[in-house]
Amino acid sequence: MTDEVCIRIKADIDIMSARHASRTMAAEMGFSNLEMTLIATAISELTRNILQYAGHGEISICKVQQGNRKGMKVVVMDEGPGIPDIETAMHDGYSTSKGLGLGLPGSKRLMDEFSIVSKVGIGTTITMYKWVSNKGSGGEEW
Amino acid sequence: MQVPIMKQGPYLIATIQGEIVDEDFIHLRTKLVRMVSKNRSRGVVIDVSSLDTLDSFATRSLRDMAKMIELQGAETVIVGIQPDVALAMVRLGLFLKDIITMMDLEDGFSYLKKSQGKRISHD
Amino acid sequence: MAAKIAKVKIKSIEEPETAAWLVADFTSNGDELQQMWTKEMKAEKLLDDQTPKEIRSESELMFNTYLECLRSGNYSAVVEYSKKLGEKTVFKLVGIMVYRRVLSRHIVIMSQGDIESATRSLLFFERIADHILALMTNATIEVREKLALKQAESILELSTPVLSIRDRLLVLPIIGILDSLRARQLTENLLHGVRENRARVVVIDITGVALVDSAVANHLILTIDAARLMGATVILTGISPEIARTMVALGVDLSKFNAMGDIRSGIEEAERILGYKLVLSKDEDEP
């Protein structure tokens, strides 16, 4: 069982690998089918952002434990142009490219925790968490 | 992976299987538009039941496809969106408001038949 | 607390001779001690619903847990044993307690009147026994909590039933409090119900719901949108004037609900939609 996966994002096929990796890990951890889909969709959105705005970047997915709850931490990084105004970017409908402008605010809605650090000219790092919902039978120990 | 397209009477069926990369969507769009005009098809059913994720790019591709097919005089129905995928889409903010969505191929066809019937009887 | 106890080292605090002596003594008197345990358990009518084979294996497991703790100098054996607490939880907890009594008494008897040695051994043993008991109690509580959570969940599931009343028509009557947790349950039940039943129309009746806040209202709207993506139409019925007023005040767009007055008109409308879809029935059309 791997506790951390890192994937370089250079082409659209890497988006697929990232989604796959998140599903495999989420299934191991006892996430529900719905939760797996939510995570995979958020990853799909953000890795596509990388391709669209930065050209290339990296995603790391790892298992985390915080007290009694366990979850998945996803970090999406690029060294692209950065986002000048994060507050505006977090509003629905914002987009500088041909996208629908849902990437950032939409992904935030799919995950439990979401934070973003961006510097113009240096790059963007987004950190997200999803916790396994407490259902008594929270999957295997790891 | 290429998306197979089948012809059934006045309709076309495109079944998107498993994983599909961005390029495949563009291929599919070009191929569908060409086939609709060549066969004078009245409707297209796009089956997405084997997709486990539909992000904003895929959704936009599907909508663009539907709009271009509409310009060729045919209607598009998207069928088979799975429960969890549907929920992820609406949470993300993707509603596909202007596109017809149906449960499965059967419903897709009966919608197209009814819709054509109406079109003809009203003309 | 349990996690702390599990890591406590025995030998580093106490003299190893006492531990070694106890292990040797308990091992050589193993059969006798296990018999005493069985006798005590029987006397308290704690073995009534167990077969002799079960009693033997349980007794052995408990006895070995004590021995293993003394021998290894840590409590990993208890942690291991408490993992098997799934069933007969109380029996196992009481069994461990009775062993503590049996073994303490044995220590006193074995010291043959040497009070100093008896006290030292007893103090040493009882400390360990206390830790074992604390770990077991903790594990028992955890098992019970998990069970309670599971029960609460199944009640929750029952409280949002999905009824298939006609071919391709589902009805979800909701009664009681519709909080976020239940709203989430409702959504999942509804969407998977739609898939399993190939439902075309779903009627959600909230006549029995007293209050809907804006989070739940928005959740309902998302559910309706998701159902539409799957090819199903949702009709909401039984919105009380109070709920309608709150929703308007909260700025919820009521037009998204396909609202109908009561459940009956909702079902009639659903049938109209379905009938309109299924007019193909020849038997009824032909005179």
Side-chain angles (χ1 to χ4, degrees):
Chain A
M1 239 199 249
T2 32
D3 288 351
E4 181 166 9
V5 179
C6 255
I7 295 167
R8 299 275 305 151
I9 306 293
K10 302 179 293 293
D12 56 4
I13 190 107
D14 301 324
I15 297 177
M16 212 147 73
S17 317
R19 281 205 309 245
H20 264 305
S22 79
R23 273 187 189 274
T24 311
M25 195 184 282
E28 273 173 13
M29 294 176 64
F31 275 107
S32 74
N33 240 317
L34 171 64
E35 289 167 326
M36 286 196 257
T37 307
L38 298 181
I39 297 170
T41 309
I43 286 177
S44 202
E45 287 298 314
L46 295 183
T47 47
R48 194 177 298 285
N49 269 359
I50 290 184
L51 290 185
Q52 237 166 40
Y53 297 105
H56 60 90
E58 194 181 293
I59 180 171
S60 94
I61 306 164
C62 64
K63 296 173 182 175
V64 285
Q65 178 118 30
Q66 214 177 69
N68 271 334
R69 59 182 187 169
K70 52 183 181 171
M72 186 185 268
K73 180 184 180 187
V74 179
V75 182
V76 183
M77 285 165 289
D78 68 60
E79 293 175 357
I83 303 164
D85 183 355
I86 291 177
E87 212 171 298
T88 317
M90 287 308 294
H91 271 118
D92 272 332
Y94 167 86
S95 175
T96 54
S97 181
K98 56 195 171 185
L100 294 174
L102 296 166
L104 296 181
S107 303
K108 188 179 174 181
R109 283 194 294 268
L110 296 173
M111 303 294 280
D112 293 332
E113 284 170 43
F114 183 101
S115 63
I116 178 166
V117 179
S118 186
K119 273 213 172 98
V120 174
I122 292 179
T124 304
T125 302
I126 295 167
T127 310
M128 314 186 282
Y129 290 88
K130 188 90 185 167
W131 303 104
V132 177
S133 63
N134 200 356
K135 282 200 166 181
S137 53
E140 293 298 312
E141 292 248 323
W142 53 272
Chain B
M1 192 201 276
Q2 287 270 0
V3 177
I5 300 174
M6 282 193 310
K7 187 174 171 294
Q8 186 163 333
Y11 308 123
L12 296 177
I13 313 162
T15 312
I16 300 181
Q17 284 158 330
E19 293 290 357
I20 175 166
V21 293
D22 304 3
E23 221 175 292
D24 301 329
F25 273 114
I26 297 160
H27 277 174
L28 177 63
R29 189 175 67 198
T30 321
K31 206 163 139 194
L32 267 180
V33 170
R34 213 173 40 227
M35 280 181 78
V36 165
S37 95
K38 196 177 109 197
N39 296 300
R40 298 161 57 81
S41 305
R42 304 303 310 263
V44 176
V45 180
I46 302 175
D47 183 358
V48 298
S49 55
S50 61
L51 291 188
D52 59 14
T53 317
L54 270 168
D55 62 5
S56 57
F57 174 82
T59 306
R60 191 171 63 245
S61 303
L62 288 173
R63 173 187 293 128
D64 289 355
M65 228 178 272
K67 293 293 164 206
M68 289 177 76
I69 289 165
E70 201 182 308
L71 290 175
Q72 300 291 324
E75 245 186 309
T76 303
V77 184
I78 290 167
V79 303
I81 298 179
Q82 298 295 320
D84 296 339
V85 176
L87 207 50
M89 285 172 73
V90 296
R91 282 227 214 156
L92 193 57
L94 302 166
F95 301 101
L96 277 178
K97 288 268 187 227
D98 42 357
I99 304 294
I100 304 294
T101 50
M102 289 284 153
M103 176 132 319
D104 46 25
L105 283 179
E106 198 182 321
D107 277 11
F109 280 128
S110 65
Y111 169 82
L112 284 175
K113 273 177 199 147
K114 203 190 69 179
S115 169
Q116 308 297 282
K118 259 199 280 185
R119 237 195 249 181
I120 291 161
S121 67
H122 284 299
D123 278 354
Chain C
M1 184 191 74
K4 256 189 218 158
I5 294 171
K7 281 179 194 144
V8 171
K9 290 271 186 301
I10 299 171
K11 279 180 189 164
S12 63
I13 317 163
E14 303 290 339
E15 67 271 42
E17 306 97 69
T18 313
W21 180 74
L22 285 178
V23 171
D25 181 63
F26 288 168
T27 314
S28 59
N29 293 300
D31 287 343
E32 191 197 327
L33 289 167
Q34 289 194 39
Q35 268 164 27
M36 273 163 74
W37 177 84
T38 314
K39 220 170 107 193
E40 294 236 350
M41 291 291 280
K42 259 195 191 129
E44 294 187 25
K45 296 198 188 326
L46 289 163
L47 298 176
D48 288 359
D49 44 3
Q50 318 276 339
T51 68
K53 204 179 148 197
E54 278 175 329
I55 296 171
R56 238 193 335 274
S57 76
E58 287 290 346
S59 159
E60 191 135 346
L61 264 174
M62 291 178 201
F63 184 69
N64 285 337
T65 304
Y66 273 99
L67 269 186
E68 197 47 42
C69 286
L70 289 166
R71 189 181 294 137
S72 67
N74 64 54
Y75 294 95
S76 57
V78 188
V79 175
E80 209 48 50
Y81 181 61
S82 67
K83 278 185 189 158
K84 302 187 188 97
L85 266 179
E87 26 180 332
K88 298 199 282 185
T89 326
V90 174
F91 166 75
K92 284 173 181 164
L93 191 63
V94 174
I96 286 280
M97 288 185 197
V98 170
Y99 253 120
R100 180 189 202 275
R101 199 157 72 207
V102 168
L103 296 173
S104 298
R105 198 169 47 217
H106 176 75
I107 291 171
V108 175
I109 294 167
M110 286 311 284
S111 64
Q112 295 171 324
D114 180 349
I115 291 175
E116 198 188 321
S117 136
T119 313
R120 197 176 54 235
S121 306
L122 212 55
L123 278 177
F124 174 64
F125 174 74
E126 298 232 304
R127 259 196 61 167
I128 292 167
D130 279 346
H131 282 167
I132 292 176
L133 205 58
L135 279 169
M136 288 291 292
T137 311
N138 207 292
T140 308
I141 292 167
E142 265 174 32
V143 168
R144 286 286 145 134
E145 274 175 356
K146 264 189 192 164
L147 201 71
L149 208 65
K150 242 182 215 162
Q151 279 165 345
E153 240 180 79
S154 48
I155 291 169
L156 199 66
E157 227 150 277
L158 277 178
S159 67
T160 40
V162 178
L163 313 172
S164 171
I165 67 159
R166 298 256 189 292
D167 194 26
R168 314 210 63 187
L169 170 55
L170 295 181
V171 174
L172 280 81
I174 304 168
I175 292 164
I177 297 160
L178 192 56
D179 56 10
S180 305
L181 182 64
R182 227 177 131 200
R184 208 171 64 199
Q185 186 92 38
L186 167 83
T187 306
E188 291 193 32
N189 285 358
L190 186 148
L191 297 181
H192 285 101
V194 162
R195 188 78 211 162
E196 276 154 31
N197 298 284
R198 288 191 75 236
R200 246 329 254 116
V201 188
V202 184
V203 177
I204 303 178
D205 181 68
I206 59 165
T207 310
V209 176
L211 200 91
V212 172
D213 63 17
S214 62
V216 170
N218 284 323
H219 197 95
L220 278 173
I221 292 174
L222 282 190
T223 307
I224 292 168
D225 283 325
R228 196 195 70 84
L229 285 176
M230 293 176 64
T233 306
V234 176
I235 298 170
L236 197 65
T237 66
I239 304 175
S240 69
E242 290 78 25
I243 289 183
R245 210 177 304 134
T246 340
M247 283 197 193
V248 172
L250 289 167
V252 177
D253 183 0
L254 287 174
S255 69
K256 295 194 173 184
F257 286 134
N258 296 321
M260 301 287 293
D262 56 8
I263 188 164
R264 188 178 153 180
S265 44
I267 290 174
E268 280 167 6
E269 170 66 7
E271 285 171 336
R272 194 191 63 75
I273 296 173
L274 288 169
Y276 186 61
K277 281 271 165 204
L278 301 174
V279 254
L280 299 164
S281 171
K282 284 189 182 113
D283 301 337
E284 279 173 32
D285 280 353
E286 277 164 11

